[in-house]
Amino acid sequence: EKIPLDGIILEGSSSIDTAALTGESLPRDVAAGDDVISGCVNQSGVLRVQVTKAFGESTVAKILDLVENSSSKKAKAENFITKFARYYTPCVVIAAVLLAILPSLFVGNWSEWIHRALIFLVISCPCALVISVPLSFFGGIGGASKRGILIKGGNYMEVLANTELVVFDKTGTLTKGVFNVTAIHPDDYPESSL
C-alpha cells in the first residue's frame, strides 16, 4: 500500500519500493526511526508512521505541483508563437473584415465578397499554428509523466531535443541491473565466424 504522507516510522519494519520517486530498483529496508516519504509502496510489513509534514509540504504534493506548473516554464518556440499570435490573429481578422466590406462598397455583390473573406479567414486561420506548438509540449510532458518521467516545463524539453550524450551514474536507476548481449555488429568479420 502507498505511504500517504512523509513521516518517521514508530513501529514495525518492512521493505518499501521507492522506484517511482527515486528510480532505485531494489526495495529499501526500513525499521523504527527511519524516515519514509509519501508515494513509496510498503511491500511486506505493517508500519506505524508518525506524520512529519502536512500534505501540502509532502514529497508527492511537490511532484504534483511540478507537473501542474510545468506549463509556466515555456520553451522559446512557445514564447515566439504566443507573441506572433498576439499580432497575427487580429491582423487576419481585420483583413478578412476589410475584404468583405471594402470591395463590396465599390463593386457590390456582397455575398461573393463575404464568401471570399470567409475563405481567406479559414485559409489564414492562426488556430492550427497557435495551438499546435503548445499542445505538442503538453503532449510530451503528459506522455513522459505517464511513464514516470517528470519534466519541469517545455523549456527543459527543448533543451533535451538538442542533447547528444547522456551519462547516468548508477545502474538500477534506469535499468534493472541485468545485462545481456542483444546484438553483435562486427566491422571486419562476418557474423557467422563469431
Side-chain angles (χ1 to χ4, degrees):
E1 192 169 324
K2 281 191 181 177
I3 297 171
L5 295 168
D6 296 359
I8 298 173
I9 298 174
L10 297 178
E11 294 175 13
S13 63
S14 179
S15 292
I16 58 171
D17 181 4
T18 61
L21 298 171
T22 64
E24 182 62 53
S25 62
L26 296 174
R28 188 179 101 191
D29 293 328
V30 292
D34 291 339
D35 291 328
V36 290
I37 54 178
S38 57
C40 295
V41 179
N42 182 4
Q43 292 185 322
S44 57
V46 176
L47 298 175
R48 185 169 173 228
V49 178
Q50 177 182 0
V51 174
T52 56
K53 294 180 184 174
F55 176 75
E57 300 169 9
S58 69
T59 305
V60 168
K62 289 176 184 175
I63 291 172
L64 287 172
D65 184 52
L66 283 174
V67 172
E68 288 172 356
N69 294 323
S70 64
S71 62
S72 64
K73 297 177 181 175
K74 293 185 176 182
K76 289 179 185 177
E78 283 182 280
N79 287 328
F80 171 75
I81 288 296
T82 304
K83 287 178 186 173
F84 176 76
R86 189 175 300 139
Y87 300 106
Y88 180 74
T89 305
C91 289
V92 167
V93 172
I94 290 168
V97 169
L98 291 175
L99 182 62
I101 295 173
L102 289 180
S104 300
L105 290 175
F106 296 111
V107 179
N109 202 358
W110 283 87
S111 64
E112 181 182 338
W113 287 104
I114 289 174
H115 186 257
R116 286 182 182 186
L118 290 173
I119 290 171
F120 169 76
L121 190 60
V122 168
I123 290 172
S124 59
C125 179
C127 296
L129 179 66
V130 172
I131 290 173
S132 64
V133 173
L135 192 60
S136 63
F137 282 105
F138 285 132
I141 291 169
S145 67
K146 277 185 179 178
R147 289 173 173 76
I149 302 167
L150 295 177
I151 300 173
K152 288 183 177 182
N155 56 342
Y156 298 105
M157 266 183 107
E158 197 170 52
V159 170
L160 282 173
N162 300 323
T163 303
E164 293 180 15
L165 181 66
V166 179
V167 178
F168 294 98
D169 66 341
K170 183 177 170 192
T171 301
T173 303
L174 296 175
T175 64
K176 293 188 167 96
V178 179
F179 302 104
N180 57 14
V181 177
T182 57
I184 299 173
H185 303 285
D187 291 334
D188 299 330
Y189 301 100
E191 244 181 89
S192 59
S193 66
L194 299 173

